[in-house]
Amino acid sequence: MYSVITPTTPAEFERYYDLRWRVLRKPFQRPRGSEQDEYDQVGIHRMIVDESGAAIAIGRLHFNSPDEGQIRFMASAPEHRGGGHGVAIVYELEKVARDEGATHVIINSRDNTLGFYIKCGYELVEEADTVKNPSAEHQLRKTLTEQNRITYRPDWCKELQDTWHEDIPISETMGIRIQQYTGRAFTTQAMLSRNINVHGTMFAGSIYSLATLTCWGLLHLQLRERQLHGAIVLADGAIHYHKPVTREPIAVAHVVDMIGDLSALTEGRNARVTLKTQIFDGDKPVAEFSGQFVVIANKKEA
């Protein structure tokens, strides 16, 4: 179980700076203390911790001007990389920048993290000469707009939402929007006012549709991540309703809950996977959906 916190106590900051030094300074034989700078006193810090309080990932935001935020000192513990923690830190820091009225965020990146930030919607604006200086940093920039509020693969998510609204018109009628994608979790939201019944709660059928589309969307994005192709079809689905939905519903599906093997697609065979979605009314889970999906492989040309 992981949590995003703002370090405040001396013990939390000790773990925070230790991870920063171990990942960003120790490999370059830099001494303790070099991991801190003058902006730490005025910066906004975020840290992901596990159940024991150990630091898993960290990052800092400071402001160069009222319009410009800068993310620095991003680091993930090597044994926890690939779990989406870096995306979660970027999301939290971008959210602060938006709330404070910044119009854009900049990040300096070495070669090994450049691809990660581009996947998070940042554009390369100043390329460093890493041939002459391997430790030189590129500068990236992200203009903060409503369209790119999605942290990871925002361009893919926009294409997916446009596809839903064009090919599945009921998704637009229901007011379904992609809220967030982290590479590990996919979150959608629907408008209660467009799906309300005579009791003032959400139609059961609308909850089912939102849950199904959320699983479908996560599977679609995972196929793109793995450079696989195929048509996604729901083969069977079951949902359990615990409580009525009285507020704007949120649906969340996690990659870790996906059961099945997509590798059959590389051999021209169909793949079968099971995915799950939880529906939330505020912060309370009120329904759970499980769906079996078939990905129909593209037929190879004769």
Side-chain angles (χ1 to χ4, degrees):
M1 188 68 180
Y2 302 105
S3 304
V4 181
I5 69 167
T6 301
T8 55
T9 68
E12 288 171 345
F13 269 112
E14 182 179 355
R15 292 190 288 271
Y16 175 91
Y17 286 124
D18 179 68
L19 179 58
R20 188 192 278 185
W21 176 76
R22 286 192 290 114
V23 174
L24 302 178
R25 292 295 181 263
K26 185 180 179 181
F28 299 97
Q29 290 79 50
R30 301 290 297 278
R32 291 273 187 178
S34 63
E35 75 279 4
Q36 300 184 40
D37 67 17
E38 66 275 14
Y39 289 101
D40 280 327
Q41 297 299 315
V42 295
I44 293 96
H45 306 272
R46 292 293 184 268
M47 178 166 68
I48 294 178
V49 297
D50 63 14
E51 293 177 341
S52 69
I56 304 301
I58 58 170
R60 188 195 75 191
L61 171 77
H62 70 265
F63 291 93
N64 298 322
S65 71
D67 292 333
E68 182 177 272
Q70 181 170 359
I71 292 176
R72 287 204 66 197
F73 295 116
M74 287 280 299
S76 294
E79 63 272 21
H80 291 283
R81 286 174 186 164
H85 305 303
V87 178
I89 293 291
V90 171
Y91 170 70
E92 291 292 333
L93 296 177
E94 283 185 2
K95 188 163 61 174
V96 174
R98 291 175 188 272
D99 291 344
E100 292 296 323
T103 61
H104 63 275
V105 172
I106 63 171
I107 292 176
N108 294 329
S109 169
R110 292 193 174 98
D111 281 341
N112 62 328
T113 54
L114 185 61
F116 167 76
Y117 292 120
I118 290 174
K119 292 175 184 176
C120 288
Y122 285 80
E123 296 181 354
L124 184 62
V125 294
E126 187 174 325
E127 188 171 3
D129 187 350
T130 55
V131 175
K132 293 182 178 179
N133 181 9
S135 63
E137 294 183 322
H138 312 282
Q139 186 173 102
L140 300 99
R141 173 186 170 119
K142 184 176 188 178
T143 301
L144 301 178
T145 68
E146 171 60 21
Q147 287 68 38
N148 68 14
R149 60 186 162 69
I150 298 168
T151 306
Y152 193 72
R153 304 289 195 186
D155 50 343
W156 289 9
C157 290
K158 182 181 184 304
E159 291 174 11
L160 174 57
Q161 185 163 287
D162 289 345
T163 297
W164 280 354
H165 291 174
E166 291 172 9
D167 298 343
I168 313 173
I170 193 174
S171 65
E172 185 167 22
T173 303
M174 291 174 60
I176 294 177
R177 296 289 186 273
I178 297 172
Q179 187 183 72
Q180 195 54 247
Y181 176 55
T182 67
R184 292 293 176 180
F186 184 60
T187 306
T188 62
Q189 184 174 22
M191 296 176 63
L192 179 63
S193 60
R194 297 189 183 185
N195 300 276
I196 203 163
N197 60 29
V198 295
H199 305 292
T201 59
M202 189 173 183
F203 278 114
S206 294
I207 298 174
Y208 187 94
S209 297
L210 176 62
T212 302
L213 207 56
T214 302
C215 286
W216 191 99
L218 177 62
L219 182 52
H220 169 85
L221 291 168
Q222 285 299 300
L223 289 174
R224 292 197 67 173
E225 296 282 7
R226 304 172 194 207
Q227 298 183 2
L228 298 173
H229 306 279
I232 304 170
V233 178
L234 176 67
D236 192 16
I239 191 166
H240 297 282
Y241 303 98
H242 305 301
K243 293 181 180 180
V245 175
T246 60
R247 286 174 285 183
E248 302 286 81
I250 300 292
V252 184
H254 296 273
V255 173
V256 70
D257 293 326
M258 186 169 71
I259 301 173
D261 187 2
L262 296 172
S263 63
L265 295 170
T266 63
E267 302 171 359
R269 295 183 291 110
N270 297 345
R272 294 179 179 272
V273 295
T274 300
L275 295 99
K276 297 180 180 179
T277 305
Q278 271 195 310
I279 305 294
F280 292 84
D281 184 344
D283 59 354
K284 297 179 180 179
V286 295
E288 296 173 351
F289 170 85
S290 178
Q292 298 177 26
F293 293 82
V294 177
V295 185
I296 302 173
N298 292 343
K299 300 300 180 183
K300 296 181 179 179
E301 295 182 4

